[in-house]
């Protein structure tokens, strides 16, 4: 392992941190430059990531000891293919969202807070990148803290009463869960004396403290369930995700909950590993049941929503259930499905929220009813919405189909046919709530005064990211073969 | 790569040509309406040409293969032209060309949306016909399913919306079942859902319960499209609601996509032997028989012409299923031939119904007194096809019924012959009144007025009449010169020989 | 009812955790996993490897420096969160704000504070700079500076303290902890090691102890300054909470 590229993962994480630290002074000098600077830092981060293409051995990993301290003593970044894959997903979606933010935030957020918005945005996306590649459980906690605090604040950034209330609700559920992560990590440390994941994996099996390990696993899973909004711990999600400004909704729904779900996979496969599954079986089964319930509950609730951002938020709950079911299938196909689903759900969900944002930006509409006939005025947004919805439902050839295939196949292979059926029912529910909106947009006459005949699309800096994401759902469906082999190998190596 | 196949881009061409239409629409958008629509037709015609140039080599037994993408080891998106797939593609490309031609003058609003989705569905269907495995088939099939939604609700009336809604509900349900079937098949079939062989050897090792699950999910999933009762609910609503050329395609081709899927499942995935061993073919056959009889009975009660034709389609598609599940060579042959034969007949009937609707505005049979004098050519074509449906020789309908009857005797189940006869009788009972009303009743006939003079004026539009006449001629011509290479028998018998060596 | 359920739930959870605690390795045993695995190396070699006489500082800044980089980012993030919710004053406007407390502080208090604050700041510098060899360090020192500013603001009002620490200074220094840490990290890469390597392989062996020590101190100073400015900015934001940019009535 040599070459400058091995430094890139850490730079991808820390350059946005650095950028965030520079922003206040930049804002003092030139406020207009702040959005561009944020996009610039994220672009550098993503650009460095593209140099890593093909550098991560499939089925292996890139280990990066920080400060040169060999693993159990220092902190290690452990970039395996699934981590890298998700990091790139985070970089890409964040870049789209930050570009989207410029015009949208100007309108929704009052001047003095815009800098803070971008600072938090950079911290949020960088911490997610750190979160998925770290190989140290305490570092996982630290990254999660940055992620959580910035998310709470970003929900409240518009400063209106409902937003602050939603953020507070989020905080009330999120803060205990952060503490639980710390508690879980502490318990692990107390019986193994190490924080490094690989080292933990080696020591967890033969330490004598069964109860403590079971408890720490259960606590960690419970904590990440809150962050990932897995039913029944989803209570904070619908409010927070629907009230936050749309680009933030896109980030929260598309990525933040998803990487938290990925943390469950990390804990399960990288820390407790196959050898310790005797300890964690019951918790995993409970988690699978919760996931299945989430798929159905989220889907059904989404159908009954009147506010479209609310609907998309409930859909997220349902899709987190998918991811959880993929993880609990405990086979490479299931994990691959889960990781791929995190990606394509992230892209599609971000796109849906951006479309919703476009409607809000142009018209201030939030009700699904008001979208009737939207096609006339905002055709491109409506098409983007349909493409993203296509992926959310999991119809071929979008990326959602590929992940659905692997998730269902994983469940069948694990002998859990009921869960496979739940996943399929979930996609029927998704079809119901998505098609309703698409139907309203394209095939219903507009209500008097809602939509005119003249084209009035959202500004280019908002439309382009929306379209880029909606085309990405197709790209990752059609070209899924580029990634799936490596993902399967990476997943197989986890087991 | 399947054994003996030639790697070639030929299968890709007919899939790509229809996209010319979309290009044309994207380029012209609001200008040059005629040119735009003619380009759409050119797309489908080129696609048909690209299919037909393969005919000689397919008759020689050649197969073609083209890989689009390989998702992972053993799971790829690839095209494969074997005789069965080629047969289906030939039928559908031909139908598509004629219906696109017909649509040019039939569709009078929102042409862009209609023709774009028409072309897309055509492309996807050919892709489905050329799929090498169930995975690819499902991808194309599903895209086609949702792509045909805008065709069904094209008129945007309340009825069309309801029909579209019903269609979506059935389609999503069916697709989910299908998805489940494919995944379970992929799992128990050892990661293989290819159509290369006549029966997957890996599947035979699976437990009986698993096989039953897979088979029944497949049948139910495709049964929605193939309109096997009780999964037929969307058909009688969708057909009258859609514009006539779209109904013709729905009935002639899209319903067949379900039946074609069942063919693939029975021939290529399970194989005749495994299906026999499983012993469920007769259950499907019973469902098919019930559908054949009941659909005809329902058709009797309909006054709306297109609704009656829709019920007739439900019954006729089940002929295919019945033929496949007889497990005899002639039955299989009849079933496969029915796919093309019924497409010819039913497409012609629907196009005639479209002519009637456009020229006279009449939808209900009871209003159609004397329509035969207003629209003589169409009604003659209609009558030819209606009689063919009943099974009158010389026509394609007769050939099918003969083959199916012979297959039933070969399988030792004369009860199927009875079903076929009853069905013929019922077909006659619901088709003959239409002919009667059209030609032997007219305004004022009871007061002793003489019948009106034949009026050819309203049938001057060649775009609409040419497809109708071609189809009606083919119904007779194919029925007489059955063995001409390229006609259904030549291809179907090749398949039957392969299935029953 | 709801309360009862929550109470029962919490009680059950507490009992469960107590049970787990009883199963944990006993506190302070030298044979505990925590005592035998990584800790011995920290204790024995910290001075030789991390060149920090204070082992805690060695672990925080050097061995697990990336965690600390994360932690200072958390603190910075907290500031951004406060500013996102409460908003920041516009440039120059803070001069218009009236004093924090309506009642002018008495002469005794003012004199005392004026006398004490310089010493507090001086003390905080000791805390920061001595972090490398004794208890203390950037976090603590920054907190002390922050505390001194809180006293100053309560007594002399927002007006005066915002003149002492103007927006320009705060905007530039708020992120200094993250910036210093990042730059030191990059320097590690440029010095031929990994990110956050203090002992640069490109520097000769004999210079390395001094290098590590000075970089440690540099990071401590960055943390101290950044932390202090974060405290001050949060304080200012909270004091002018009522009505985003309106002067306090």
């Amino acid at each position: 392992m040599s070459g400058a590229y091995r430094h890139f993962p850490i730079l991808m994480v820390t350059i946005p941190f650095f950028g965030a630290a520079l922003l206040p002074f930049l804002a003092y000098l030139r406020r207009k430059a702040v959005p561009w600077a944020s996009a610039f830092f994220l672009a550098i981060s993503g650009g460095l990531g593209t140099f890593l293409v093909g550098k991560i051995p499939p089925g292996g990993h890139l280990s990066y000891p920080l400060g040169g301290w060999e693993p159990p003593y220092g902190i290690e970044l452990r970039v395996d293919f699934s981590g890298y894959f998700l990091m790139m997903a985070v970089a890409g979606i964040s870049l789209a969202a930050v570009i989207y933010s410029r015009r949208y935030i100007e309108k929704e957020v009052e001047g003095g807070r815009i800098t803070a918005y971008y600072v938090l945005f950079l911290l949020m996306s960088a911490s997610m990148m750190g979160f998925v590649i770290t190989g140290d459980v305490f570092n996982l906690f630290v990254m999660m803290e940055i992620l959580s605090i910035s998310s709470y604040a970003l929900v409240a950034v518009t400063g209106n009463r409902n937003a602050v209330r939603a953020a507070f609700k989020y905080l009330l559920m999120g803060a205990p869960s952060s503490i639980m992560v710390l508690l879980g990590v502490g318990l692990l440390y107390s019986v193994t004396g190490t924080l490094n994941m690989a080292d933990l994996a080696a020591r967890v099996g033969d330490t004598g403290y069964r109860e403590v390990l079971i408890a720490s696993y259960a606590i960690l899973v419970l904590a990440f369930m809150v962050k990932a909004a897995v039913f029944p711990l989803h209570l904070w999600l619908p409010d927070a995700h629907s009230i936050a400004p749309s680009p933030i909704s896109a980030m929260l729904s598309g990525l933040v909950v998803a990487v938290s779900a990925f943390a469950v996979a990390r804990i399960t496969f990288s820390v407790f590993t196959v050898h310790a599954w005797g300890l964690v079986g019951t918790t995993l089964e409970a988690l699978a049941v919760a996931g299945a319930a989430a798929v159905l509950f989220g889907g059904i609730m989404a159908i009954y929503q009147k506010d479209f951002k609310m609907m998309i938020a409930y859909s997220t709950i349902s899709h987190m259930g998918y991811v959880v079911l993929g993880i609990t299938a405990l086979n490479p196909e299931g994990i691959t499905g889960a990781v791929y689903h995190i990606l394509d759900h992230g892209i599609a969900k971000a796109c849906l929220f951006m479309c919703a944002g476009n409607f809000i930006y142009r018209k201030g509409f939030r009700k699904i009813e008001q979208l009737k006939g939207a096609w006339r005025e905002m055709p491109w947004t409506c098409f983007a919405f349909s493409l993203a919805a296509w992926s959310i439902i999991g119809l071929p050839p979008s990326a959602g189909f590929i992940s659905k295939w692997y998730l269902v196949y994983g469940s069948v292979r694990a002998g859990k046919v009921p869960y496979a059926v739940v996943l399929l029912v979930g996609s029927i529910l998704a079809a119901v709530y998505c098609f309703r909106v698409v139907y309203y947009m394209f095939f219903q006459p507009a209500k008097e005064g809602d939509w005119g005949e003249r084209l009035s699309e959202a500004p280019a800096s908002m439309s382009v990211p929306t379209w880029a994401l909606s085309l990405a759902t197709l790209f990752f469906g059609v070209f899924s073969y580029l990634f799936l082999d490596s993902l399967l190998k990476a997943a197989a190596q986890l087991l | 790569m399947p054994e003996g196949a030639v790697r070639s881009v030929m299968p890709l061409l007919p899939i790509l040509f229809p996209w010319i239409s979309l290009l044309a629409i994207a380029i012209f958008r609001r200008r040059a309406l005629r040119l735009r629509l003619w380009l759409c037709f050119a797309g489908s015609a080129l696609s048909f040409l690209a299919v037909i140039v393969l005919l000689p080599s397919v008759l020689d037994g050649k197969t073609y293969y083209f890989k689009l993408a390989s998702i992972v080891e053993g799971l790829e998106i690839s095209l494969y032209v074997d005789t069965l797939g080629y047969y289906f593609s030939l039928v559908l490309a031909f139908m598509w060309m004629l219906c696109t031609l017909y649509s040019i003058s039939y569709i009078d609003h929102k042409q862009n949306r209609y023709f774009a989705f028409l072309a897309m569905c055509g492309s996807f269907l050919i892709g489905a016909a050329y799929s090498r495995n169930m995975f690819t088939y499902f991808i194309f099939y599903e895209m086609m399913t949702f792509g045909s939604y805008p065709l069904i609700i094209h008129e945007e009336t309340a009825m069309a919306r309801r029909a579209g809604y019903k269609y979506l509900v059935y389609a999503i349900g069916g697709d989910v079942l299908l998805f489940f079937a494919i995944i379970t098949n992929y799992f128990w079939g050892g990661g293989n859902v290819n159509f290369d062989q006549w029966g997957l050897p890996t599947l035979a090792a699976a437990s009986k319960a698993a096989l039953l699950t897979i088979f029944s999910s497949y049948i139910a999933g495709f049964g929605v499209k193939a309109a096997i009762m009780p999964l037929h609910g969307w058909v009688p609503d969708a057909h009258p609601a859609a514009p006539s050329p779209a109904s013709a395609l729905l009935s002639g081709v899209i319903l067949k996509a379900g039946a074609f899927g069942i063919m693939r499942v029975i021939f290529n995935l399970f194989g005749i032997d495994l299906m026999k061993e499983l012993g469920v073919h007769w259950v499907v056959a019973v469902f098919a028989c019930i559908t054949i009889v009941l659909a005809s009975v329902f058709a009797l009660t309909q006054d709306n012409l297109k609704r009656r034709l829709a019920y007739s389609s439900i019954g006729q598609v089940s002929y295919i299923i019945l033929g496949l599940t007889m497990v005899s060579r002639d039955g299989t042959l009849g079933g496969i031939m029915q796919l093309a034969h019924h497409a010819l007949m039913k497409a012609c009937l629907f196009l005639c119904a479209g002519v009637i609707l456009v020229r006279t505005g009449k939808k209900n049979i009871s209003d159609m007194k004397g329509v035969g004098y207003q629209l003589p050519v169409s009604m003659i074509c209609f009558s030819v096809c209606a009689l063919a449906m009943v099974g009158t020789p010389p026509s394609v309908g007769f050939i099918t019924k003969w083959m199916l009857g012979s297959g039933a005797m070969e399988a030792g189940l004369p009860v199927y012959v009875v079903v076929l006869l009853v069905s013929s009788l019922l077909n006659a009972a619901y088709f003959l009144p239409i002919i009667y009303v059209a030609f032997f009743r007219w305004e004022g006939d009871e007061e002793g007025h003489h019948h009106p003079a034949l009026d050819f004026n309203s049938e001057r539009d060649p775009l609409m009449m040419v497809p109708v006449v071609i189809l009606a001629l083919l119904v007779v011509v194919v029925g007489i010169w059955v063995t001409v290479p390229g006609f259904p028998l030549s291809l179907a018998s090749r398949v039957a020989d392969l299935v029953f060596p | 009812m709801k309360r009862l359920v929550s109470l029962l739930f919490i009680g059950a959870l507490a009992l469960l955790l107590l049970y787990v605690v009883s199963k944990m390795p006993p506190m302070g045993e030298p044979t505990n996993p925590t005592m035998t695995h990584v800790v011995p190396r920290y204790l024995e070699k910290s001075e030789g490897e991390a060149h920090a006489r204070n082992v805690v500082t060695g672990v925080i800044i050097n061995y697990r420096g990336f965690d600390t980089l994360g932690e200072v980012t958390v603190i910075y993030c907290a500031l951004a969160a406060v500013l996102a919710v409460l908003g920041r004053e516009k440039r120059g406007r803070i001069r218009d704000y009236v004093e924090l407390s309506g009642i002018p502080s008495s002469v005794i208090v003012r004199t005392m504070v004026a006398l004490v604050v310089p010493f507090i700041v001086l003390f905080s510098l000791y805390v920061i700079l001595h972090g490398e060899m004794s208890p203390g360090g950037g976090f603590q020192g920054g907190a002390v500076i922050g505390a001194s500013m809180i006293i100053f603001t309560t007594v002399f009002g927002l007006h005066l303290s915002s003149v002492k620490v103007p927006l320009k200074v705060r905007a530039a220094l708020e992120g200094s902890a993250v910036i210093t840490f990042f730059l030191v990290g990059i320097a590690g890469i440029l010095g031929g090691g990994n990110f956050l390597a203090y002992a640069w392989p490109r520097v000769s062996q004999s210079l390395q102890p001094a290098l590590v020590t000075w970089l440690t101190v540099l990071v401590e100073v960055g943390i101290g300054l950044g932390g202090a400015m974060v405290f001050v900015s949060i304080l200012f934001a909270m004091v002018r909470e009522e009505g985003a940019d309106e002067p306090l009535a």
Side-chain angles (χ1 to χ4, degrees), chain C residues 55-95:
Chain C
V55 177
V56 176
T57 305
V59 173
I60 288 178
I61 304 289
N62 204 335
Y63 286 106
R64 300 190 64 85
F66 189 56
D67 273 348
T68 314
L69 171 56
E71 288 300 345
V72 298
T73 316
V74 169
I75 293 176
Y76 180 66
C77 186
L79 166 71
V82 169
L83 293 182
V85 178
L86 300 180
R88 163 120 71 182
E89 74 272 7
K90 291 213 175 93
R91 199 151 59 164
R93 286 285 297 278
I94 204 154
R95 289 178 199 285

Side-chain angles (χ1 to χ4, degrees), chain B residues 99-427:
Chain B
C99 288
T100 311
L101 186 65
Y102 184 91
S103 301
I104 291 178
S105 73
Y106 186 90
I107 302 295
D108 52 3
H109 68 289
K110 298 208 169 164
Q111 285 97 341
N112 277 359
R113 184 177 75 187
Y114 178 85
F115 279 95
F117 280 100
L118 192 68
M120 260 156 61
C121 285
S123 159
F124 295 151
L125 261 171
I126 295 177
Y130 287 166
S131 296
R132 187 204 173 186
N133 52 35
M134 213 27 134
F135 185 72
T136 318
Y137 187 79
F138 180 71
I139 291 179
F140 282 117
Y141 178 85
E142 184 116 288
M143 289 197 285
M144 183 275 294
T145 300
F146 292 101
S148 49
Y149 174 75
L151 301 182
I152 290 173
I153 69 145
H154 182 74
E155 306 287 353
E156 297 198 353
T157 55
M159 188 175 107
R161 282 172 209 285
R162 237 194 338 271
Y165 176 71
K166 219 168 171 181
Y167 173 71
L168 273 190
V169 170
Y170 276 86
I172 291 170
D175 287 348
V176 163
L177 273 173
L178 210 50
F179 187 79
F180 181 74
I182 297 172
I183 288 219
T184 44
N185 183 2
Y186 182 73
F187 176 59
W188 275 299
N192 189 355
V193 283
N194 288 345
F195 297 151
D196 308 347
Q197 293 152 306
W198 304 98
L200 291 177
T202 37
L203 206 56
S207 71
K208 191 161 182 198
L211 286 178
L212 278 178
T213 315
I214 299 170
F215 192 75
S216 50
S217 317
Y218 266 133
I219 297 292
F222 282 126
V224 171
K225 266 281 161 18
I228 302 175
M229 282 185 183
L231 305 169
H232 68 291
W234 61 276
V235 181
D237 285 340
H239 282 74
S244 296
S247 323
L249 289 177
L250 268 182
S251 223
V253 181
I254 294 180
L255 289 185
K256 306 300 184 344
F260 181 73
I262 294 180
M263 280 182 200
R264 286 296 197 190
V265 170
I266 291 177
F267 296 157
N268 294 106
L269 293 182
F270 278 75
I272 294 285
D273 293 334
L274 186 59
M275 188 177 72
K276 237 195 254 175
E277 197 184 304
L278 209 57
V280 285
H281 55 285
W282 63 269
V283 180
V284 183
V286 165
F287 271 103
C289 288
I290 292 172
T291 312
I292 291 171
V293 176
L294 271 187
S296 303
V297 173
F298 285 144
L300 276 174
T301 64
Q302 305 300 327
D303 190 30
N304 183 317
L305 176 58
K306 283 170 87 179
R307 220 174 149 79
R308 186 176 287 191
L309 293 178
Y311 271 113
S312 159
S313 290
I314 298 175
Q316 295 279 329
V317 173
S318 275
Y319 278 25
I320 305 178
I321 315 294
L322 181 61
L324 300 181
T325 46
M326 276 176 187
V327 201
S328 64
R329 187 186 176 278
D330 279 2
T332 307
L333 187 59
I336 300 172
M337 278 163 75
Q338 169 76 350
L339 190 149
H341 289 169
H342 175 248
L344 292 174
M345 296 186 281
K346 195 45 72 60
C348 183
L349 289 172
F350 268 113
L351 295 186
C352 290
V355 175
I356 297 171
L357 186 65
V358 171
R359 295 290 168 234
T360 68
K362 285 171 182 166
K363 281 184 179 167
N364 291 339
I365 297 162
S366 50
D367 302 334
M368 288 184 187
K369 281 183 185 170
V371 96
Y373 297 98
Q374 289 171 297
L375 304 163
V377 179
S378 339
M379 284 319 289
I380 289 169
C381 293
F382 188 97
S383 309
V384 168
C385 292
L387 290 173
M389 285 295 237
V390 177
T392 329
S395 72
V396 289
F398 169 71
I399 309 287
T400 315
K401 284 202 174 137
W402 179 266
M403 278 299 171
L404 286 174
S406 142
M409 299 311 284
E410 190 189 324
L413 288 162
V415 62
Y416 293 152
V417 181
V418 176
V419 170
L420 290 170
L421 288 177
V422 170
S423 152
S424 288
L425 213 61
L426 288 166
N427 286 355

Side-chain angles (χ1 to χ4, degrees), chain C residues 153-208:
Chain C
T153 311
T154 23
V155 174
F156 291 100
L158 200 56
H159 174 68
L160 197 58
S161 55
S162 67
V163 172
K164 296 278 176 208
V165 196
L167 179 59
K168 185 168 33 173
V169 175
R170 277 182 289 130
L173 292 181
E174 271 158 2
S176 63
V178 183
I179 293 170
T180 333
F181 235 127
F182 176 76
L183 292 180
V184 168
I186 290 286
I189 293 180
L190 297 179
N194 279 352
F195 190 82
L196 277 181
Y198 289 72
W200 303 344
R202 292 210 177 125
V203 173
S204 73
Q205 210 68 39
S206 57
L207 284 178
Q208 278 187 3

Side-chain angles (χ1 to χ4, degrees), chain A residues 2-73:
Chain A
S2 62
Y5 69 83
R6 71 200 178 91
H7 300 298
F8 288 176
I10 184 68
L11 292 180
M12 283 176 76
V13 178
T14 46
I15 283 178
F17 280 170
F18 175 64
L22 290 180
L23 282 189
F25 193 62
L26 185 67
Y28 181 82
L29 297 176
R30 234 188 122 72
R31 184 171 274 172
K32 283 251 175 290
V34 170
W36 299 111
S38 321
F40 171 74
F41 287 119
L42 280 176
I44 290 193
S45 192
L48 287 178
T50 56
F51 284 105
L52 285 169
V53 172
K55 295 293 200 302
I56 313 286
H61 63 270
L62 188 83
S63 173
Y64 188 84
L66 279 153
W69 301 112
E70 64 272 34
Y73 303 102

